[in-house]
Amino acid sequence: MKKTGSQIIVESLKKEGVETIFNYPGGAVLPLFDELQSAPFKQVLVRHEQAAVHAADGYSRATGRVGVVIVTSGPGATNTVTGIATAFMDSVPMVIITGQVPTLLIGNDAFQEADIIGITRPCTKHNYLVKDVKDLARTIKEAFYVARSGRPGPVLIDLPKDVQAESAEFKYPEKVSIRGYQPTYEGHVGQIQRAVKLVMKSKKPVLYVGGGIISSNASKELTLFAEKLGIPVTMTLMGLGSIPGNNPLSLGMLGMHGTYWANMAVMESDLLIAIGSRFDDRVTGKIEAFAPQAKIIHIDIDPTSISKNVRVDLPIVGDCKHVLSKILSFLEEEDVGTFRAGLEKWHHQIDKFRAVHSMNYEQREIIKPQYVIEKIFELTKGDAIISTEVGQNQMWTAQYFPFLRPRTLLTSGGLGTMGYGFPAAMGAQVAFPNKLVIDISGDGSFQMNSQELATVVQYRLPVKVAILNNGYLGMVRQWQEFFYGKRYASVSLEGISPDFVKLAEAYGAVGLRATKPEDVVPTLKKAFSTPEPVIIDFEIDPEENVYPMVPAGEPLNQMRLV
Amino acid sequence: MRHVITLLVENEFGVLTRIAGLFSGRGFNIESLCVAETLDPTVSTMTIVTRGDDQILEQVLKQLNKLISVIKVVDLIEKDFVEREMVLVKVTATSETREEILRVVDIFRGKVVDVGAKTYTIEVTGDEKKINALLSLLKPLGVKELVRTGRVAMIRGSKITTEPGS
Ligand SMILES: Cc1ncc(C[n+]2csc(CCOP(=O)(O)OP(=O)(O)O)c2C)c(N)n1
Ligand SMILES: [Mg+2]
């Protein structure tokens, strides 16, 4: 049967099992919105297209499903770019449909025309301009496949207005075949066997895991592997939740603001088993001095991640979950008991690292941000989805909230996008209406997408925003304090931010404030028992810093502890 | 080091920009680039000649492979291959130089494809060395203009590059 382009989109999205769309209309998508109006999706009208993409991103990270966004051409499309780049850096599967001016006008500087294909080429996994309605169904099928398979990522479809209105025979393809794209899931068996041998020979092994564990849902396999052999695990920011933060084998996060013991363990290790992590500069510090005695096994689905920054002794290209399962099956034939006994000395050494107090703060009359986060963990028992903004708030969250499950931390790791957390929390809340979803925010970052207060109120999304209000663009201030002689340039927000309580109220949300340490718990309790969206303004110590810290470009064992 | 890279790509719009972007994004200069359809009209071959640090180039090759529109990537420098390029050269031809020019063309098995009042236009095919040698002989005689096709290359023997997915 013949269908219009717009009908084809709706039908195709249904076939892909899409339930929720984050959208914002405009001239170039009028035909499509006319069709969406009666379509069976939950549609969330955001207040800024950047937030639509972050919301779809939060939805995707929390559920593992592909996030979907529909916006108009020109400014609607360009507004999505930061969101797309954020998702690209963190490998989040997403399909973004942008309207485009009619085919005949493309390239004419038509009203609201932007070359979004050109603009997003370097920050999408792939993108498509559909010029013929006959290609539409196949393109959507491919887009979803590319977004969710291999190393996941955002895919953009640019859709001229006339293509939305034209008709074609609709038949949704059963299968995708892209000859230039065949991700490797199964790792090379010989390499996996060699890896197992290397592991069994090691005396000071460390597992260094990242977002690949989360996106391939390999948490269970990882935990089994670590526990079976008793190997300590350190996680990147993107990997938090891969193994429960309160598991005795967890060393917490490594890198610039990692724990003392995680960084020291990596530096002392004789074998680093990197799984779904990519040796980012925030993780390795001075690359030449990184894990100097260690042999490195690197398991990743993306061959371009391997041997990019460090020499790898044993690469395995494959899906983390597949490869870990294979490793587990090979371990059946190994003498695990002897191996574990051999690690005793190593654990002893790590315990000594743990005894160095690197994460402590002094609670005075003024609220400490770390205290707020610890209390959020205690009151929720870790059973919450937490998003963060970027800056000190993000690092304190990573340090003081021991994430117990995968997909419970939504944070912009690769791009470090301020303004990500609130719309991402909103997206996660759409997916899980009954879960507690908390954005741990900063006074600067919150103002980058605070317009979404209107959206959470409209859709009754009871997101809680805990603003750690230090009156500063705190992380930048910290760097200016440490490295630029305390010359504070353009970082003070003291006295010039809006009254966040009144701001919440102006939108019809609930606003709360805590100014003293003894207010923290009652205020959090009140917020968590409020069925509406709540903004909490925590007046925290303005010059509190994030410790430990490895200054950029220094080796990981050069940590500033206080 | 010099690299000659053959790519099989989907014959569709936008592919060239995706590929060029990977080079330009890393500050790599493309020395020459040749694109044309293969026997299968849905596939094009690209021959790219570039120079650069081997480790960075390895990363570029991996990134090229990762592009959805790229079907196959081969760095020919690791193989035994033939390489050809065609040039069109417009040289000033005076009564004193005409004969010398014709002699050079003959030695290089070229052709004069156009004769003007004061010029010859010459066509020559060969590998990089041959073309450079030709130009060094013609330049003193007065080269007015030069157009090169860019290099194309092919593996020697019965092996073929254009077999997708091998
Ligand atoms: C969109 C964007 N612009 C600028 C930056 C640079 N930046 C990193 S952290 C930071 C300060 C964040 O301030 P705030 O949200 O108050 O968080 P705090 O560090 O005080 O907890 C800035 C400006 C960024 N990461 N993202
Ligand atoms: Mg701040």
Side-chain angles (χ1 to χ4, degrees), chain A residues 392-393 442-445 468-475 493:
Chain A
Q392 295 180 312
N393 59 82
D443 44 332
S445 299
L468 303 176
N469 189 346
N470 48 12
Y472 277 117
L473 299 173
M475 186 57 97
L493 301 175

PDB file of all heavy atoms in Angstrom, chain A residues 392-393 442-445 468-475 493, ligand 2:
ATOM      1  N   GLN A 392      32.690  20.473  39.395  1.00  0.00           N
ATOM      2  CA  GLN A 392      32.955  19.833  40.679  1.00  0.00           C
ATOM      3  C   GLN A 392      31.811  18.906  41.078  1.00  0.00           C
ATOM      4  O   GLN A 392      32.029  17.815  41.599  1.00  0.00           O
ATOM      5  CB  GLN A 392      33.163  20.915  41.748  1.00  0.00           C
ATOM      6  CG  GLN A 392      34.410  21.775  41.493  1.00  0.00           C
ATOM      7  CD  GLN A 392      34.589  22.825  42.570  1.00  0.00           C
ATOM      8  OE1 GLN A 392      33.638  23.530  42.926  1.00  0.00           O
ATOM      9  NE2 GLN A 392      35.797  22.942  43.089  1.00  0.00           N
ATOM     10  N   ASN A 393      30.575  19.364  40.803  1.00  0.00           N
ATOM     11  CA  ASN A 393      29.410  18.556  41.162  1.00  0.00           C
ATOM     12  C   ASN A 393      29.527  17.146  40.580  1.00  0.00           C
ATOM     13  O   ASN A 393      29.178  16.159  41.205  1.00  0.00           O
ATOM     14  CB  ASN A 393      28.120  19.254  40.701  1.00  0.00           C
ATOM     15  CG  ASN A 393      28.102  19.498  39.198  1.00  0.00           C
ATOM     16  OD1 ASN A 393      27.787  18.617  38.415  1.00  0.00           O
ATOM     17  ND2 ASN A 393      28.455  20.723  38.788  1.00  0.00           N
ATOM     18  N   GLY A 442      25.068  21.983  39.393  1.00  0.00           N
ATOM     19  CA  GLY A 442      25.842  23.132  39.848  1.00  0.00           C
ATOM     20  C   GLY A 442      25.054  24.397  39.520  1.00  0.00           C
ATOM     21  O   GLY A 442      24.188  24.375  38.641  1.00  0.00           O
ATOM     22  N   ASP A 443      25.374  25.469  40.229  1.00  0.00           N
ATOM     23  CA  ASP A 443      24.620  26.707  39.998  1.00  0.00           C
ATOM     24  C   ASP A 443      24.863  27.254  38.591  1.00  0.00           C
ATOM     25  O   ASP A 443      23.998  27.898  38.008  1.00  0.00           O
ATOM     26  CB  ASP A 443      24.947  27.763  41.064  1.00  0.00           C
ATOM     27  CG  ASP A 443      26.439  27.874  41.361  1.00  0.00           C
ATOM     28  OD1 ASP A 443      27.172  26.890  41.198  1.00  0.00           O
ATOM     29  OD2 ASP A 443      26.870  28.973  41.762  1.00  0.00           O
ATOM     30  N   GLY A 444      26.039  26.967  38.035  1.00  0.00           N
ATOM     31  CA  GLY A 444      26.297  27.410  36.665  1.00  0.00           C
ATOM     32  C   GLY A 444      25.594  26.524  35.650  1.00  0.00           C
ATOM     33  O   GLY A 444      24.813  26.992  34.819  1.00  0.00           O
ATOM     34  N   SER A 445      25.848  25.240  35.749  1.00  0.00           N
ATOM     35  CA  SER A 445      25.292  24.296  34.769  1.00  0.00           C
ATOM     36  C   SER A 445      23.770  24.336  34.701  1.00  0.00           C
ATOM     37  O   SER A 445      23.187  24.237  33.621  1.00  0.00           O
ATOM     38  CB  SER A 445      25.715  22.872  35.125  1.00  0.00           C
ATOM     39  OG  SER A 445      27.110  22.730  35.091  1.00  0.00           O
ATOM     40  N   LEU A 468      24.262  22.096  43.938  1.00  0.00           N
ATOM     41  CA  LEU A 468      25.351  22.345  44.886  1.00  0.00           C
ATOM     42  C   LEU A 468      25.839  23.756  44.588  1.00  0.00           C
ATOM     43  O   LEU A 468      26.695  23.973  43.737  1.00  0.00           O
ATOM     44  CB  LEU A 468      26.464  21.311  44.697  1.00  0.00           C
ATOM     45  CG  LEU A 468      26.025  19.842  44.843  1.00  0.00           C
ATOM     46  CD1 LEU A 468      27.187  18.903  44.549  1.00  0.00           C
ATOM     47  CD2 LEU A 468      25.456  19.563  46.235  1.00  0.00           C
ATOM     48  N   ASN A 469      25.219  24.698  45.289  1.00  0.00           N
ATOM     49  CA  ASN A 469      25.399  26.115  44.930  1.00  0.00           C
ATOM     50  C   ASN A 469      26.612  26.702  45.653  1.00  0.00           C
ATOM     51  O   ASN A 469      26.553  27.041  46.824  1.00  0.00           O
ATOM     52  CB  ASN A 469      24.120  26.874  45.298  1.00  0.00           C
ATOM     53  CG  ASN A 469      24.136  28.294  44.755  1.00  0.00           C
ATOM     54  OD1 ASN A 469      25.183  28.803  44.331  1.00  0.00           O
ATOM     55  ND2 ASN A 469      22.979  28.938  44.778  1.00  0.00           N
ATOM     56  N   ASN A 470      27.716  26.807  44.917  1.00  0.00           N
ATOM     57  CA  ASN A 470      28.920  27.396  45.513  1.00  0.00           C
ATOM     58  C   ASN A 470      29.146  28.822  45.037  1.00  0.00           C
ATOM     59  O   ASN A 470      30.165  29.440  45.339  1.00  0.00           O
ATOM     60  CB  ASN A 470      30.160  26.520  45.230  1.00  0.00           C
ATOM     61  CG  ASN A 470      30.260  26.131  43.762  1.00  0.00           C
ATOM     62  OD1 ASN A 470      29.552  26.684  42.919  1.00  0.00           O
ATOM     63  ND2 ASN A 470      31.123  25.187  43.461  1.00  0.00           N
ATOM     64  N   GLY A 471      28.223  29.358  44.248  1.00  0.00           N
ATOM     65  CA  GLY A 471      28.368  30.739  43.788  1.00  0.00           C
ATOM     66  C   GLY A 471      29.506  30.903  42.789  1.00  0.00           C
ATOM     67  O   GLY A 471      29.977  32.018  42.532  1.00  0.00           O
ATOM     68  N   TYR A 472      29.954  29.788  42.260  1.00  0.00           N
ATOM     69  CA  TYR A 472      31.073  29.828  41.321  1.00  0.00           C
ATOM     70  C   TYR A 472      30.864  28.836  40.183  1.00  0.00           C
ATOM     71  O   TYR A 472      30.174  27.817  40.347  1.00  0.00           O
ATOM     72  CB  TYR A 472      32.369  29.403  42.016  1.00  0.00           C
ATOM     73  CG  TYR A 472      33.061  30.489  42.797  1.00  0.00           C
ATOM     74  CD1 TYR A 472      33.210  30.362  44.172  1.00  0.00           C
ATOM     75  CD2 TYR A 472      33.602  31.607  42.155  1.00  0.00           C
ATOM     76  CE1 TYR A 472      33.874  31.337  44.908  1.00  0.00           C
ATOM     77  CE2 TYR A 472      34.266  32.581  42.890  1.00  0.00           C
ATOM     78  CZ  TYR A 472      34.399  32.447  44.263  1.00  0.00           C
ATOM     79  OH  TYR A 472      35.063  33.402  44.981  1.00  0.00           O
ATOM     80  N   LEU A 473      31.524  29.108  39.080  1.00  0.00           N
ATOM     81  CA  LEU A 473      31.806  28.064  38.096  1.00  0.00           C
ATOM     82  C   LEU A 473      32.988  27.327  38.719  1.00  0.00           C
ATOM     83  O   LEU A 473      34.153  27.587  38.421  1.00  0.00           O
ATOM     84  CB  LEU A 473      32.143  28.684  36.739  1.00  0.00           C
ATOM     85  CG  LEU A 473      30.998  29.524  36.144  1.00  0.00           C
ATOM     86  CD1 LEU A 473      31.438  30.259  34.896  1.00  0.00           C
ATOM     87  CD2 LEU A 473      29.783  28.646  35.855  1.00  0.00           C
ATOM     88  N   GLY A 474      32.631  26.442  39.657  1.00  0.00           N
ATOM     89  CA  GLY A 474      33.583  25.965  40.652  1.00  0.00           C
ATOM     90  C   GLY A 474      34.805  25.265  40.089  1.00  0.00           C
ATOM     91  O   GLY A 474      35.924  25.480  40.563  1.00  0.00           O
ATOM     92  N   MET A 475      34.604  24.396  39.122  1.00  0.00           N
ATOM     93  CA  MET A 475      35.753  23.639  38.628  1.00  0.00           C
ATOM     94  C   MET A 475      36.764  24.564  37.943  1.00  0.00           C
ATOM     95  O   MET A 475      37.981  24.387  38.082  1.00  0.00           O
ATOM     96  CB  MET A 475      35.296  22.544  37.658  1.00  0.00           C
ATOM     97  CG  MET A 475      36.415  21.634  37.215  1.00  0.00           C
ATOM     98  SD  MET A 475      37.242  20.848  38.620  1.00  0.00           S
ATOM     99  CE  MET A 475      36.398  19.272  38.666  1.00  0.00           C
ATOM    100  N   LEU A 493      29.582  33.640  40.379  1.00  0.00           N
ATOM    101  CA  LEU A 493      28.139  33.798  40.139  1.00  0.00           C
ATOM    102  C   LEU A 493      27.475  34.310  41.407  1.00  0.00           C
ATOM    103  O   LEU A 493      26.266  34.378  41.507  1.00  0.00           O
ATOM    104  CB  LEU A 493      27.522  32.452  39.748  1.00  0.00           C
ATOM    105  CG  LEU A 493      28.076  31.766  38.503  1.00  0.00           C
ATOM    106  CD1 LEU A 493      27.436  30.391  38.331  1.00  0.00           C
ATOM    107  CD2 LEU A 493      27.814  32.608  37.272  1.00  0.00           C
TER     108      LEU A 493
HETATM  109 MG    MG C   2      29.057  26.134  40.931  1.00  0.00          MG
END
